[in-house]
Amino acid sequence: MTDQPAHTGNALLLRHPTLVAAHVGIWMAEGDGPPQSLTRGQAIRLAADTPVILLNAPLTASRLGYPALSGLDLLELFAFVRPAQFCVPTARGMARALGLESPVTPEEEALFLQVAAEKLLSEMEDTNWRYKVGAYGSAQALMRLKWPWSTLVAQRLASPRHAERSLFLALPEWEDAPPPPKPRDVRVGEEDVLARLEHLVGKGAEERPQQRDYAEAATFAFQPREMQAAPNVALVEAGTGTGKTLGYLAPASLWAEKSGGSVWVSTFTKALQRQLDTELARLYPDPQLRARKTVVRKGRENYLCLLNLEDAVQGAFTGRAAILAHLTMRWARYTRDGDMIGGDFPGWLTPLFGTTRINALTDRRGECVFAGCPHYRRCFIERATRKTAGADIVIANHALVMVNAARGKAENERLSRIVFDEGHHLFDAADSTFAAHLSGTEGLELRRWLLGPEKSRARGRRRGLEARLSELVLHDDESARLLSDILDKLKDLPAEGWLGRIQEGEPSGPIEKLLGAVRHQVLARAEAKDVGYGVETEIANLLPAVVDAGYEAQQMLDGLATPMGKLEARLLELVEERPEWLDTALRTRIEGTANGLRLRRQTVMAWISLLARLGGAADPEFVDWMALDRVEGREFDVGLHRHWLDPTKPFSGLVMEPAHGVVVTSATLRDKGAIMETDWRVAEQRTGAQHLAMPPKRFSTPSPFNYADAARVFIVTDVKRGDIGQLAGAYKALIQAAGGGVLGLFTAIARLKAVHARIAAPLAERGLPILAQHVDPIDTGTLVDMFRADPVASLLGTDALRDGVDVPGHSLRLVALEGVPWPRPTILHAARRAAFGGSAYDDLVTRARLAQAFGRLIRRAEDRGVFVLLGAAVPSRLLSAFPPEVPVRRCTLLEAVEGTYKFLDGRAPEDLTGLLEPVQQPDALPEPDAAPTISGIFTPGSEGK
């Protein structure tokens, strides 16, 4: 880096100081002068008194220990200048995106922010700027909203010669197409599959015999079905590095071409969805052909709702929320598919503006009015749905596939061939999908869907059931009567403020009365150790108040479900009759409303079934319990819960049986335990294959990686359990030994935060930055992007990172677990433990977690890594979770640190003095102190005030 910004032409820009807060210090730069070090108090006053240029305001505020900061956030400017373009939200990430030299130290970063700002602003003056359309209008709107960057942006933008079309008119319209024919019954030959695989891999690629065998095994699922409700199921396990993606895409793409059908490829994580989207470029190199042949599908709640966006920019959003709406308008012009969650929408905008504001721009409550929407023909969701019908490959996720099946969606009839990648997650995905929860939050959501916003809180457009059917009830008296019956029952559903009322003993209506009785019973049976945490209790030996309230609630729900079912039937009847007054737009809206009613009625019927067992015998198919949900002592929900004891039963019946062929694949389908060494029974139990009429085809191939040379496993025996100082010392020593690149996994958020507080600053002083889930105000996906982009950074997180991290290469070279990841002793787990083998079931779940955590480590043949488990008494029967050739060593922390140094660095450390000492809690942050004496900044009337 140079000592001053490369671009100094803009005087107004240079009057804004830059501010960088790091664990090793706080720096600012002003004008052409050198960077200056600030105290915390000086930095806070600087940011409060003048607009400063910074990068990621929430993270900067967090590191200053300040609630919130405002200023000229470079991420917001990037979102305006380069909408729908990826950027890691760090100084180095932005430097890479802009083609600038990366800063190394915080001082250099303070100077870099000025350079990056000028680079982004100058791009708008380029006649070839690809994001010019819509920029001027957005800038004018943002100027009225007093967006901090608006003055600087307006300087660089010329008024367009011709009036630009509104976004809502500029987006292309989708076109209807006739329903595709039934896929032809074709037989896919293995020779053709291997030829397709060779084409996908490319000439000159390294030959992989395991991949060829894998592709042949997966081909079984693409042969004609021989018996009704008996799909051709292939359970294909392949170790990391086999090339599973291309292995199943070869027969899948061949079958789609020959049959005219679609293959749905379902994943559990968004990371794999992105990887699949990339791999499909091998199959369809031409981008236009790929756009026709493939589609990424997610639930409606992932996509931008244009009607919500229009409301937001027309006044429903104010302040910072309105700024977000206009930045989203910029993105919507250039997005590939409108996906706001995991697509090309910048994930780092969520912490900048808040999850609630982002969610308000999507359809999270199923409030879509379908053809009644003025933007229906341009809707991102509808476009993706229609592309699905003609696509060869549909990339989806487990939840969407299962929810569509549960809802009886028409497109589910097209799921004749499915590939479930990350198949080891099917059990958990089915567990979430087919569960029922009668809680205050769920009841309030139902009320909102039926009624729309409460009158006292209503803003903008009302989209309750009455608003959806307002035109219909003018023509059809029966629909009007049934709608009136439904609305009459809504007073008995939980309303706004329900939690406060039941806490005060003043419930309103039978559902709130039930929730109050449930809360009382749960608290009565809680243990002393449960104070502040969520608690649960079995539905057994119930208090009379719970049984009585349950009966009243059941009667009330019965009275709601009946008119809901009748109204659904009446709506479908009208669609069939097609009276003269029913035009196309209204018919489409009625069909959508009928589908919504069916889904909500299914939920209500599940609640009725759950309440019917209060005071009676338990259903052996289900596990029922009551729970009070709390976070750090704050209650946020209470209710009754029902899960299938074996959730693969409904999954098998609703998803697998109707299909003709299913591939279930993963690196860890089987449990290679000490007793069931290579037993496929576990794979069949956890995937639902055991419930099918025909047995599955089984195939397994090991990883081609040389784990004996690539990895080491250390089990550290001398870190005292429960000693935060020792635990922090262990993580600090391991991160130093690896030189960063550590993924640290915790089973408790409290311990993660405690360890982070102790090690973040001392490691940052050594040039080893720490990122932390639940500490840094950054979404998990962005944290992983930041971790992947910085080879000396480390990432601390919880179980969510055990499967969701795909970081090949040098950026991840050590995985550390704070202890054995035993399953939590919940009521649900206890029931399954009793049903599926007792302690052997505990071991099965734990080995699967260890295998997945280890699987993060070696992603490519050239990777090298160390896996460390901090546990004094790790049972030997769990060690089969690791590849058999990996050396496993029980040792002290000192030996693990020495071994890590030697394995990763090729040499033994010279001096470990003081490295292994416990790390104590740092002193509290000092109070804000004297303001800095920085010329011009605090002068009355100066620029930037």
Side-chain angles (χ1 to χ4, degrees):
M1 288 289 299
T2 58
D3 289 336
Q4 54 185 335
H7 303 279
T8 57
N10 189 293
L12 184 57
L13 177 64
L14 287 175
R15 290 194 180 109
H16 293 288
T18 64
L19 178 64
V20 173
H23 290 298
V24 293
I26 306 166
W27 297 84
M28 67 86 65
E30 182 193 18
D32 296 328
Q36 300 180 38
S37 175
L38 303 181
T39 65
R40 171 175 164 265
Q42 289 173 328
I44 291 172
R45 267 190 284 276
L46 170 64
D49 290 346
T50 187
V52 295
I53 299 174
L54 42 77
L55 183 68
N56 198 329
L59 183 60
T60 303
S62 174
R63 289 180 174 173
L64 290 175
Y66 197 67
L69 289 178
S70 61
L72 298 154
D73 197 323
L74 269 177
L75 293 179
E76 294 181 26
L77 180 61
F78 189 93
F80 182 91
V81 178
R82 295 192 178 188
Q85 187 176 126
F86 176 76
C87 173
V88 176
T90 63
R92 293 181 182 180
M94 185 159 287
R96 279 190 289 273
L98 299 179
L100 300 172
E101 183 181 350
S102 294
V104 177
T105 64
E107 301 98 302
E108 290 181 347
E109 187 175 331
L111 294 168
F112 168 79
L113 298 187
Q114 196 89 41
V115 179
E118 176 57 34
K119 176 70 164 61
L120 284 168
L121 291 168
S122 63
E123 283 187 11
M124 294 186 291
E125 297 176 302
D126 190 335
T127 56
N128 295 320
W129 181 39
R130 60 177 293 197
Y131 301 109
K132 183 178 297 184
V133 176
Y136 184 82
S138 292
Q140 296 304 305
L142 288 166
M143 179 89 74
R144 292 190 291 272
L145 294 170
K146 296 182 171 50
W147 182 43
W149 285 106
S150 58
T151 301
L152 294 168
V153 165
Q155 281 187 322
R156 309 298 181 104
L157 288 175
S159 175
R161 294 181 180 179
H162 307 288
E164 294 179 334
R165 298 176 72 192
S166 160
L167 166 74
F168 304 107
L169 297 176
L171 290 173
E173 293 188 353
W174 49 261
E175 296 180 357
D176 268 322
K182 176 182 177 294
R184 296 183 296 276
D185 290 324
V186 298
R187 185 168 294 277
V188 178
E190 292 184 355
E191 290 185 5
D192 293 337
V193 168
L194 294 180
R196 173 60 56 88
L197 177 63
E198 185 177 348
H199 169 72
L200 291 176
V201 172
K203 294 182 179 180
E206 177 186 355
E207 187 172 340
R208 298 185 188 181
Q210 297 102 320
Q211 189 181 44
R212 292 171 61 87
D213 295 341
Y214 175 93
E216 289 179 349
T219 301
F220 174 72
F222 298 95
Q223 306 305 340
R225 189 175 65 178
E226 297 181 357
M227 188 171 71
Q228 185 180 12
N232 299 324
V233 176
L235 300 182
V236 283
E237 181 182 71
T240 306
T242 302
K244 292 190 292 293
T245 303
L246 296 183
Y248 60 67
L249 282 179
S253 61
L254 200 60
W255 179 85
E257 288 177 13
K258 289 186 172 186
S259 69
S262 300
V263 178
W264 283 57
V265 180
S266 179
T267 76
F268 187 73
T269 62
K270 293 172 184 173
L272 183 55
Q273 277 195 333
R274 289 195 294 265
Q275 179 186 326
L276 272 165
D277 199 21
T278 302
E279 294 281 15
L280 286 170
R282 294 173 179 259
L283 185 61
Y284 307 109
D286 178 19
Q288 292 184 343
L289 179 63
R290 187 163 66 251
R292 292 197 307 271
K293 293 287 190 178
T294 69
V295 62
V296 177
R297 281 296 309 279
K298 297 181 179 179
R300 301 184 68 88
E301 68 278 2
N302 289 273
Y303 296 92
L304 173 67
C305 171
L306 293 174
L307 196 54
N308 284 350
L309 179 63
E310 184 180 43
D311 278 355
V313 297
Q314 290 184 352
F317 280 16
T318 58
R320 288 281 293 165
I323 292 172
L324 168 66
H326 283 280
L327 291 178
T328 303
M329 286 267 286
R330 288 282 292 146
W331 167 79
R333 280 187 184 269
Y334 299 97
T335 177
R336 185 181 80 165
D337 55 12
D339 180 4
M340 297 188 71
I341 314 295
D344 54 15
F345 186 80
W348 34 259
L349 282 179
T350 300
L352 262 60
F353 290 95
T355 303
T356 302
R357 291 164 175 166
I358 298 290
N359 289 346
L361 295 175
T362 64
D363 178 23
R364 299 192 70 83
R365 293 179 181 166
E367 297 174 329
C368 181
V369 294
F370 297 95
C373 173
H375 312 303
Y376 181 65
R377 301 289 299 185
R378 295 181 170 86
C379 175
F380 290 114
I381 305 166
E382 295 298 326
R383 181 182 295 118
T385 301
R386 280 155 181 78
K387 279 185 65 178
T388 301
D392 283 7
I393 306 293
V394 181
I395 303 173
N397 55 61
H398 297 349
L400 178 64
V401 171
M402 294 181 193
V403 167
N404 279 355
R407 295 178 180 179
K409 297 267 291 193
E411 69 179 23
N412 214 57
E413 298 171 1
R414 293 276 294 167
L415 269 68
S416 66
R417 297 298 190 283
I418 315 172
V419 177
F420 287 107
D421 204 338
E422 299 179 307
H424 59 281
H425 281 298
L426 284 176
F427 189 94
D428 293 332
D431 192 31
S432 297
T433 301
F434 301 110
H437 307 282
L438 172 51
S439 70
T441 300
E442 294 289 328
L444 180 59
E445 282 299 305
L446 176 62
R447 180 190 181 101
R448 286 170 172 167
W449 188 85
L450 291 169
L451 182 64
E454 302 285 354
K455 292 182 180 179
S456 61
R457 298 167 59 90
R459 296 183 62 179
R461 182 182 63 259
R462 289 177 58 83
R463 284 176 287 173
L465 198 58
E466 188 173 17
R468 295 160 191 265
L469 300 179
S470 57
E471 297 174 47
L472 171 65
V473 297
L474 295 176
H475 298 280
D476 187 65
D477 293 339
E478 184 178 352
S479 296
R481 180 181 59 78
L482 292 169
L483 176 61
S484 177
D485 290 345
I486 292 172
L487 297 178
D488 185 57
K489 293 290 183 182
L490 293 185
K491 65 180 184 298
D492 293 328
L493 287 172
E496 300 287 349
W498 67 269
L499 183 57
R501 287 192 293 275
I502 69 168
Q503 288 172 334
E504 295 167 5
E506 299 177 356
S508 175
I511 301 295
E512 288 188 18
K513 183 179 178 182
L514 169 65
L515 297 177
V518 167
R519 177 177 179 271
H520 177 79
Q521 173 149 341
V522 171
L523 289 174
R525 298 183 183 176
E527 303 289 342
K529 63 181 177 62
D530 294 327
V531 174
Y533 297 95
V535 287
E536 58 182 24
T537 187
E538 295 177 342
I539 298 182
N541 300 312
L542 296 178
L543 298 174
V546 175
V547 178
D548 294 344
Y551 179 75
E552 290 182 30
Q554 182 184 346
Q555 296 298 109
M556 173 262 153
L557 292 172
D558 271 326
L560 176 62
T562 299
M564 287 177 70
K566 289 181 178 179
L567 180 58
E568 178 201 342
R570 178 56 182 163
L571 296 180
L572 296 176
E573 184 180 309
L574 287 171
V575 170
E576 287 293 324
E577 292 176 358
R578 300 196 177 195
E580 293 182 1
W581 50 265
L582 189 62
D583 60 25
T584 301
L586 182 55
R587 184 173 67 251
T588 306
R589 191 191 306 185
I590 288 173
E591 287 178 331
T593 303
N595 288 334
L597 275 169
R598 182 174 67 253
L599 171 62
R600 270 75 188 183
R601 186 173 181 274
Q602 287 174 353
T603 299
V604 172
M605 294 306 295
W607 291 351
I608 292 171
S609 178
L610 175 56
L611 292 177
R613 69 89 72 208
L614 294 182
D619 187 329
E621 293 275 19
F622 297 100
V623 183
D624 303 328
W625 72 95
M626 300 182 289
L628 173 64
D629 297 324
R630 296 187 290 201
V631 172
E632 296 180 351
R634 182 182 62 85
E635 297 180 15
F636 65 90
D637 206 3
V638 60
L640 300 100
H641 304 268
R642 162 166 282 190
H643 283 236
W644 282 79
L645 182 65
D646 178 3
T648 67
K649 283 187 177 181
F651 166 70
S652 176
L654 290 170
V655 181
M656 296 184 83
E657 281 188 8
H660 287 232
V662 178
V663 175
V664 181
T665 187
S666 170
T668 54
L669 280 182
R670 296 176 297 161
D671 174 42
K672 304 175 184 67
I675 298 174
M676 300 179 293
E677 203 166 301
T678 56
D679 196 347
W680 281 95
R681 282 180 298 166
V682 169
E684 294 180 12
Q685 289 172 357
R686 303 287 286 182
T687 61
Q690 67 170 351
H691 303 302
L692 298 173
M694 297 288 287
K697 180 182 179 67
R698 303 166 172 177
F699 172 83
S700 178
T701 185
S703 170
F705 295 158
N706 184 356
Y707 284 111
D709 292 338
R712 294 290 182 270
V713 174
F714 297 120
I715 299 175
V716 175
T717 59
D718 62 341
V719 174
K720 185 179 179 182
R721 183 177 179 83
D723 189 318
I724 296 297
Q726 286 194 25
L727 185 63
Y731 271 96
K732 176 173 172 287
L734 291 168
I735 290 170
Q736 286 185 235
V742 174
L743 175 63
L745 299 175
F746 291 77
T747 56
I749 296 174
R751 286 194 292 275
L752 183 157
K753 291 180 176 180
V755 167
H756 177 269
R758 288 164 168 79
I759 68 175
L763 285 173
E765 290 173 358
R766 292 170 171 82
L768 300 173
I770 301 291
L771 303 166
Q773 200 183 17
H774 307 291
V775 176
D776 294 324
I778 303 172
D779 67 285
T780 301
T782 301
L783 279 174
V784 174
D785 288 336
M786 294 166 67
F787 175 51
R788 184 186 295 112
D790 189 348
V792 297
S794 294
L795 174 60
L796 307 182
T798 53
D799 284 354
L801 295 178
R802 189 180 58 241
D803 294 318
V805 175
D806 185 22
V807 183
H810 192 59
S811 289
L812 175 53
R813 48 195 177 273
L814 189 148
V815 173
L817 274 69
E818 65 158 324
V820 177
W822 297 111
R824 289 179 56 232
T826 62
I827 290 173
L828 179 60
H829 175 75
R832 288 176 177 159
R833 185 180 189 273
F836 298 141
S839 61
Y841 181 71
D842 286 341
D843 292 348
L844 181 155
V845 173
T846 305
R847 276 192 294 266
R849 293 176 176 179
L850 288 172
Q852 285 302 313
F854 179 85
R856 304 305 95 207
L857 196 57
I858 308 297
R859 309 298 293 173
R860 300 186 304 200
E862 60 269 25
D863 288 354
R864 289 170 64 82
V866 174
F867 187 91
V868 179
L869 182 57
L870 302 171
V874 178
S876 298
R877 64 183 183 275
L878 299 181
L879 303 185
S880 59
F882 308 117
E885 63 271 27
V886 175
V888 178
R889 179 184 175 192
R890 297 179 188 269
C891 59
T892 64
L893 177 60
L894 175 61
E895 291 169 331
V897 169
E898 289 177 331
T900 298
Y901 266 113
K902 187 173 181 179
F903 183 71
L904 295 179
D905 200 30
R907 59 184 176 82
E910 295 180 0
D911 183 15
L912 294 177
T913 304
L915 184 62
L916 306 182
E917 294 297 322
V919 182
Q920 302 306 320
Q921 177 69 34
D923 294 333
L925 288 168
E927 290 298 317
D929 39 25
T933 54
I934 303 173
S935 60
I937 293 178
F938 301 109
T939 305
S942 65
E943 291 290 349
K945 274 287 188 183

